[in-house]
Amino acid sequence: MTVIEHLVGGRWRAGGGAAIADVEPARPGREIASGTAATAAEVGDAVTAARAAADAWMRTPYHERAGVLVRAAGLVDAAADAWGAELAAEEGKTRPEGVGEVRRAAEILRYCAGEADREAGELYASPRRGERILVTRRPLGVVAVVTPFNFPIAIPAWKIAPALVHGNCVVWKPASTVPLLAMRLAAALQDAGLPPGVLNLVVTDGRTGTALVQHPGVDAVTFTGSTGVGRSIAASCAARGVPVQAELGGKNAAVVLADADLDLAAEQVLLGAFRSSGQKCTATSRLVVDARVADGFVAEVARRADALVVGDPLADGVQMGPLVTAAAARTVTEGVGSAVAQGARPLTVRDERPGGELADGYFVPPAVLELPTTGLALWREELFGPVLAVVRAGSTAEAFALAADTDYGLSAAVFTTDLGAALDAVDALDVGVLHVNSETAGADPHVPFGGARHSGYGPKEQGRASREFFTHTTTVYLRGR
Ligand code: UN1
């Protein structure tokens, strides 16, 4: 069995903290890895190691830093099948999703390596003779990277790769439920030639994670997770005066208009709502359907949800695995129960869970429920599971108003064959990511990703947007003599 270790100053070592067990959510009796958590003092060692490495790394040419990412991408790609299976075992998403995510991490590493070849600043004219004004970029220093369980390698890659290529050092705290994939990515970067201390990995609980984000040696924090935790991290960063980027929750709507290709819409809504068991901040958790097509469309979505193959994420043909922990499964089950008690009408009928060796797994059946009003918590609060809340709209304008009826603003999807309606959606929906005729989830590495209002705080991630967070500018008034 794999031993969970921490990477500090280029050396792998055991932690001095409490025991941690990495179990399969499909078979919680089976441990994949075990070890001991990092203590606050060890987190401090990691920050010290990062600080010690910072000056040399920031002076390393962009192309040398990028070379490490390119070599790491090759190692990650070569291991995609093996690590994808480990990811599926550890996190619970299906094996094809796990393998796809590992390949996506490699693609992100490669995209970020390309930063070395992209423009590195701006040049302005000067109002004075003999002068130009140059805006150049500098790294921030030591960045704390705090990542969630649901994308154990892709989200870390899209935070760590831009941090590194732009010349920062990193101390990374992954969710303690997914230490194995964290170790795999850190080892790939180390094997690709990253100097000691440039990337440090500490696996620990949230309380010790707080010691990381509040450490005086940390110059910036990037976080993905719940809105509550993200806001408290943002507040503590503001109190210390350090930049923070927080990628938070979502309550994302798919809007199906009367003229939509309904077969395509049903397929995409299913993917958005139930892939990764709905455990994505970009998952489709609300469905707004034009009343004229609602009866048939909603029945079809529920029929397909009931037909999903739920089971061992490693088995061929399985379409949905378990949730990540017993607590997550309980929260989702209770959320559905209280919605039903408040008048929500279940449209899916299945409620059995896999048996046999999966009987103790954290499985929750996919659920589609029609709501009597939008006053229910199921309409407003992120549940982070395979649950789709449906309402009907009397017109396109009402459909957009219902989709916009949320404090969140991460992603949305609109299904229509009318270009005018699609363009109206762009104006009507205050979201960071809008999909026209595709599901609400998904993010390409070369374009900005992130949400509005309760869904995010600070600069966007990915694409060139990541440079906004991982560097700051020096304006150089450059006069020859
Ligand atoms: C995706 O939709 O593929 O935590 C990425 C999340 C998001 C990433 C979603 N930050 O689910």
Side-chain angles (χ1 to χ4, degrees):
M1 198 196 348
T2 310
V3 177
I4 299 167
E5 289 183 315
H6 315 274
L7 180 61
V8 178
R11 307 243 316 251
W12 289 95
R13 65 188 215 193
I20 22 179
D22 184 12
V23 301
E24 286 191 34
R27 303 172 190 77
R30 193 186 286 180
E31 273 185 15
I32 307 164
S34 66
T36 43
T39 62
E42 288 158 345
V43 168
D45 292 347
V47 176
T48 303
R51 290 230 75 87
D55 193 53
W57 184 243
M58 110 175 219
R59 288 170 196 282
T60 301
Y62 255 96
H63 286 85
E64 280 182 39
R65 297 196 298 248
V68 175
L69 299 189
V70 171
R71 287 191 293 280
L75 298 174
V76 171
D77 250 342
D81 287 339
W83 295 358
E86 289 179 343
L87 195 166
E90 180 178 60
E91 196 269 351
K93 65 180 70 174
T94 65
R95 183 200 294 260
E97 287 178 88
V99 173
E101 187 186 328
V102 175
R103 292 202 188 284
R104 178 176 178 180
E107 198 189 323
I108 292 163
L109 290 166
R110 264 187 227 103
Y111 170 81
C112 291
E115 284 295 285
D117 295 335
R118 295 182 192 113
E119 45 91 5
E122 296 114 50
L123 182 65
Y124 290 84
S126 166
R128 291 161 294 278
R129 284 164 204 278
E131 185 179 83
R132 294 283 188 281
I133 305 173
L134 176 70
V135 180
T136 185
R137 299 262 168 184
R138 297 175 61 82
L140 301 175
V142 174
V143 180
V145 170
V146 181
T147 55
F149 75 86
N150 62 334
F151 285 90
I153 191 163
I155 289 177
W158 84 47
K159 292 178 183 295
I160 292 168
L164 296 179
V165 79
H166 289 300
N168 301 281
C169 291
V170 169
V171 180
W172 172 24
K173 186 201 111 45
S176 55
T177 39
V178 290
L180 189 53
L181 264 287
M183 289 168 57
R184 299 294 185 229
L185 179 61
L189 285 158
Q190 188 185 30
D191 293 347
L194 204 62
V198 173
L199 170 66
N200 304 274
L201 169 68
V202 286
V203 182
T204 190
D205 58 19
R207 201 149 49 86
T208 313
T210 304
L212 170 61
V213 300
Q214 294 180 347
H215 195 291
V218 165
D219 300 308
V221 178
T222 176
F223 167 82
T224 295
S226 69
T227 300
V229 174
R231 290 202 162 174
S232 83
I233 289 177
S236 87
C237 288
R240 287 206 300 116
V242 303
V244 58
Q245 172 185 62
E247 192 50 54
L248 307 172
K251 194 77 199 180
N252 313 299
V255 177
V256 178
L257 299 181
D259 64 282
D261 175 338
L262 295 177
D263 193 48
L264 170 78
E267 171 203 275
Q268 293 294 312
V269 167
L270 260 282
L271 293 175
F274 302 120
R275 249 202 309 213
S276 297
S277 307
Q279 298 177 117
K280 295 185 190 181
C281 61
T282 46
T284 306
S285 50
R286 298 184 298 142
L287 172 61
V288 181
V289 199
D290 189 299
R292 284 166 287 178
V293 293
D295 284 343
F297 184 75
V298 165
E300 177 62 12
V301 166
R303 188 191 66 73
R304 294 190 194 194
D306 271 329
L308 286 172
V309 181
V310 178
D312 180 356
L314 290 167
D316 288 343
V318 165
Q319 292 167 297
M320 202 181 99
L323 296 192
V324 68
T325 57
R330 203 177 319 116
T331 301
V332 171
T333 305
E334 286 171 5
V336 170
S338 71
V340 170
Q342 291 165 67
R345 189 165 62 94
L347 303 171
T348 36
V349 293
R350 162 165 57 186
D351 78 353
E352 87 278 15
R353 287 154 180 75
E357 55 147 12
L358 303 179
D360 294 332
Y362 308 135
F363 292 94
V364 171
V368 181
L369 300 107
E370 182 152 358
L371 305 191
T373 73
T374 55
L376 275 64
L378 194 60
W379 182 256
R380 314 232 152 249
E381 289 166 23
E382 187 178 44
L383 203 49
F384 226 63
V387 184
L388 183 63
V390 183
V391 298
R392 296 172 189 230
S395 66
T396 298
E398 194 196 349
F400 291 159
L402 284 164
D405 174 32
T406 173
D407 291 332
Y408 290 105
L410 185 51
S411 68
V414 56
F415 293 90
T416 180
T417 51
D418 176 354
L419 180 58
L423 288 172
D424 287 346
V426 177
D427 292 333
L429 303 176
D430 184 11
V431 287
V433 180
L434 177 62
H435 289 261
V436 178
N437 294 319
S438 60
E439 58 150 316
T440 54
D444 280 337
H446 63 300
V447 286
F449 175 78
R453 292 171 293 125
H454 288 207
S455 291
Y457 186 88
K460 299 280 174 79
E461 304 191 278
Q462 304 217 78
R464 292 243 88 187
S466 64
R467 196 175 66 159
E468 295 305 314
F469 181 68
F470 289 108
T471 63
H472 71 94
T473 56
T474 301
T475 305
V476 184
Y477 292 86
L478 190 64
R479 199 158 78 183
R481 63 182 70 81

